Amino acid sequence: MEEISVRDEIVAFVAERDWAQFHSPENLAKSIAIEAGELLECYQWNANADTGRVSDELADVLTYCILLADRLGVDPNQIVLDKLAKTREKYPVDKARGRSDKYDVL
């Protein structure tokens, strides 16, 4: 049995509803920011936010990120790995371990 990816499930969900017409890169980026704000709102008054609510909001953020990556024709896994490689160079372990300083201060 063929496994269906999260991306494929999201794309099918959007196609069934004919919502792709609303998913310009600009609109998707706005939606990511809006949903990230809703995720942050979970912690507004309490550091111990409800895990279910946090999970729902995080799923919304991730869904819009996956949709934006799809619209841009980039592989989310690959762009994260590429960025991680760049960040490794900026933050070498011997200088950055246990520190939160920005790379230009290390």
Side-chain angles (χ1 to χ4, degrees):
M1 184 172 165
E2 185 179 328
E3 185 177 328
I4 298 176
S5 71
V6 171
R7 180 209 159 272
D8 291 342
E9 286 286 335
I10 294 169
V11 168
F13 178 88
V14 169
E16 291 166 353
R17 289 154 182 81
D18 192 26
W19 286 350
Q21 62 181 315
F22 307 115
H23 290 171
S24 67
E26 177 186 8
N27 286 347
L28 291 168
K30 289 175 186 177
S31 295
I32 291 167
I34 291 164
E35 293 299 339
E38 291 179 11
L39 174 60
L40 186 57
E41 188 178 35
C42 293
Y43 294 99
Q44 185 173 9
W45 306 114
N46 185 350
N48 300 314
D50 175 78
T51 304
R53 186 166 169 232
V54 169
S55 294
D56 284 347
E57 296 304 338
L58 182 56
D60 290 341
V61 171
L62 291 170
T63 297
Y64 282 119
C65 288
I66 290 167
L67 285 168
L68 180 56
D70 187 65
R71 179 54 62 121
L72 296 175
V74 298
D75 175 14
N77 292 322
Q78 191 58 56
I79 63 173
V80 169
L81 292 174
D82 292 348
K83 180 63 177 183
L84 187 55
K86 290 177 187 176
T87 305
R88 274 195 178 101
E89 289 181 26
K90 285 183 175 180
Y91 294 93
V93 173
D94 61 323
K95 292 182 179 179
R97 184 173 176 79
R99 297 179 62 182
S100 63
D101 297 319
K102 192 171 175 185
Y103 66 90
D104 59 352
V105 177
L106 293 176

